[in-house]
Amino acid sequence: MEFWIIQTFNGVSYGALLFLLAGGLTLIFGMMRIVNMTHGSYYLLGGYVGLTVIWQGGHFVLAILVGALAIAVVGIGEYNAFLKRLAGQELGQVLTTMGFALIFQDLGLVIWGGDPYTIPVPAVLSGSYTIGQLYFPVYRIFIAVVAVAIAVILWLVLERTRLGAMIRATVDDVEMARGVGINVPLISMGVFAFGAFLASVAGVVAGGFVGVYPGADFEILPYAFVVVIVGGMGSLKGALIGALMVGLLDNFGKALFPELSYFTLFAPMAAILAIRPTGLFGRT
Amino acid sequence: MILRVFALGVALLLMTSTAAAQEPIRVGFITDLTGPLAQPGKEMENGIRLFLAEHKNTLSGRPVELTVLDGGSSPAVALTKARELVEQRKVHVIIGPLPAFEAYAIVPYLNEKRIPSLSPSAAADDLTQRKATQFFVRVASTSSQPTQPFGTYAAKTLGYKKVATIADDFAFGHEVVAGFHKAFEDAGGQIVQKLWPPLGTKDQGPFIARLRKDIDAVFIGFAGVAALRFLKQFEEAGLKGKIAVLANQTAVDEALLRSMGDEALGVISTMHYSAALETPANRKFVAAYRKGFGTDPGYYSVGAYTAGLFLKQALEQVGGKVENTDNFLKALRSVAIADAPGGPIRLDKYGQAVHNIYIRRVEKRDGRLQNTVIHTIENGSQFWTYPEAEFLKQPVYSRDYPPCRFC
């Protein structure tokens, strides 16, 4: 019993981290049809910038904000200078974003070196609550709280505000959105920047948990894609459910059948896609 | 007239012979400069560069020309680079590569081309056991060389009865665990659980939650960032202090230690080196390394530096004539260094280093973590105390050998 509770808790908190990462990815895809291979780089660079802020004596919360804002600016630059011109050209976009991912990887190596780092977290977030034989690391609870908070804010913005309505309209039908006078390029850029922002939040938060190190970008990217594909591209609800599923599957897969951990992750994905080719909440 | 022609001939002869003396010794160096092993690769390069700088780029009176190429963390890339070094750069000797899977890819080629190679890092046991070859020598430990004595030490000196192991699920992890496993059980201990997180596992949580609670210690065998996460999450799980942590040669290496916090305190590990070693040769090496690169040397840098020492002594024995491959190889294999940074070191008949193995504990001195040496095993052989023939008859250390009798 104890085993199942701890593993479920671990899975949920890992899923929360994946949601932060996949939330932005799914929005970007839904809106611009961009399969953004740079997303993992935003995660990694965000972690590095956050780490630098802490090295300079900054607080952890400041590190998250500065890291996320800095990378959002990078995202805006990449979008305006390159991706905007490639609107509608999927292959060109994939290759461009892939190229950027490789460039950012080398850049990270040049600036921060190859050492792995863990981002030091404030004392309030370290340690764990114990109930009998059960232990719940505070930091994992924190990750879950951040994810839930962001999910709620996102949902409120998308469903309850004028901006949200414009975003939804653009996701649903670009032509029509343009027709009713929505500034589609501006909205797209905003969403792209926000996606980068979320990825970097995930990067800084993950830095206190799995560390920041070269290669983290390409290690995490497949997970984010699985979440988005299982959940349905463009669906925030899908990303949330997908992230929880992947977090739990990955966790239980590794705990119960470590030799088959990729099977336990990808087999359910394949099964879901066989039944629902657009993912759980994807629209056809 | 005849005299003049003769003089010219002599002059020409003299010129060519001085040219031969000035002809550089070409050393090829394969390490990883990109990808996940880039940082260890950089440290490896630091080690050889420090060595050459200390010798003003001259060994046995000949200048040394070093060519550093990136193995790219891929057997195919490493082989291409080895070919480039041999066929285009015409190197006389190769140092490297970093990971064993690259070494396995290039060693057959170097044998074919008769190029002597020195491994400062790639640890796969069999490279100097069942697959030992004339052209390959290793100046660092095999994977299981330091973990075997550690197994005996854990049972006999530390008095642990039940131990679980957790290690990266690839050949290096399998071998370090197997060496520990065999020696620990031969000394009366029991391995009661073996966990294998896939290489690159981000979250060690699921594995830590599976650790049995009735164990005396957990033995970890990690080769990179996994160790960092493990110790952190082990502490968060409230297990630090309740279950002792024993580590293989790379898990608390100096290259990682500087990224670790107090969660690493008290970890006991095994290796053929420690930056905290108090010998004059090592104090000098560490001081020079710190001055050059700002950090403590560790597994990868000391390996490359020691490879330099081997090269130097072998070249001196043959008067710098590296071109005579047979003589050079013979000299290389007979090298014995009394005061290498890690202590005395020589090679056995398989070309494998016999050297001190240190049991070390992570402690904090002057605000930084270090591996304090708490016990020294002198002349540690790759076969530990097992008779060589018997050792070579058993299956290669692997995920399933020795079998887990108490799991």
Side-chain angles (χ1 to χ4, degrees), chain A:
Chain A
M1 192 60 208
E2 179 197 318
F3 170 82
W4 294 96
I5 294 174
I6 289 181
Q7 297 292 11
T8 305
F9 172 74
N10 279 349
V12 169
S13 57
Y14 188 51
L17 188 67
L18 289 177
F19 170 72
L20 291 179
L21 193 67
L25 192 63
T26 202
L27 280 180
I28 290 173
F29 184 85
M31 173 151 285
M32 281 157 278
R33 305 282 138 184
I34 292 179
V35 178
N36 183 20
M37 304 297 285
T38 330
H39 209 69
S41 315
Y42 295 158
Y43 162 90
L44 180 64
L45 291 182
Y48 275 135
V49 174
L51 186 68
T52 310
V53 170
I54 289 179
W55 280 344
Q56 301 301 321
H59 190 267
F60 184 62
V61 176
L62 187 72
I64 295 181
L65 286 176
V66 172
L69 286 174
I71 304 309
V73 171
V74 172
I76 290 176
E78 185 187 339
Y79 177 77
N80 275 332
F82 298 94
L83 298 179
K84 204 162 68 176
R85 297 162 206 275
L86 293 170
Q89 302 180 35
E90 277 93 359
L91 208 55
Q93 286 169 343
V94 170
L95 284 177
T96 305
T97 53
M98 184 67 203
F100 268 102
L102 295 171
I103 292 170
F104 285 142
Q105 186 175 52
D106 280 351
L107 207 63
L109 200 59
V110 169
I111 300 177
W112 286 281
D115 277 345
Y117 298 104
T118 37
I119 294 182
V121 302
V124 277
L125 295 180
S126 47
S128 47
Y129 296 118
T130 41
I131 305 169
Q133 286 285 335
L134 298 172
Y135 61 89
F136 302 100
V138 181
Y139 198 69
R140 284 178 184 266
I141 299 175
F142 165 73
I143 295 174
V145 170
V146 171
V148 168
I150 286 185
V152 169
I153 292 170
L154 269 177
W155 182 78
L156 284 176
V157 170
L158 281 177
E159 299 293 326
R160 297 291 162 88
T161 66
R162 196 179 137 72
L163 176 67
M166 292 199 297
I167 293 175
R168 277 182 290 132
T170 314
V171 171
D172 282 345
D173 192 332
V174 179
E175 288 303 310
M176 198 61 97
R178 219 172 262 136
V180 298
I182 293 174
N183 188 341
V184 172
L186 187 68
I187 298 253
S188 295
M189 187 185 79
V191 167
F192 196 86
F194 185 69
F197 181 93
L198 274 188
S200 334
V201 170
V204 184
V205 168
F209 175 54
V210 297
V212 193
Y213 54 95
D217 42 357
F218 284 108
E219 265 180 35
I220 198 93
L221 202 56
Y223 285 83
F225 275 117
V226 173
V227 168
V228 170
I229 291 166
V230 165
M233 303 202 202
S235 160
L236 207 57
K237 188 163 64 170
L240 189 63
I241 308 279
L244 277 177
M245 272 182 55
V246 170
L248 288 167
L249 276 174
D250 188 49
N251 205 78
F252 278 104
K254 281 189 173 136
L256 297 171
F257 327 99
E259 296 83 0
L260 300 174
S261 62
Y262 282 106
F263 179 80
T264 49
L265 182 61
F266 286 100
M269 183 189 87
I272 288 172
L273 290 181
I275 301 163
R276 291 190 61 98
T278 54
L280 291 174
F281 298 93
R283 269 162 292 184
T284 41

Side-chain angles (χ1 to χ4, degrees), chain B residues 21-43:
Chain B
Q22 287 309 308
E23 173 88 343
I25 294 168
R26 288 181 295 273
V27 177
F29 194 83
I30 303 179
T31 185
D32 283 359
L33 299 173
T34 54
L37 295 170
Q39 184 65 15
K42 184 74 202 136
E43 308 220 337

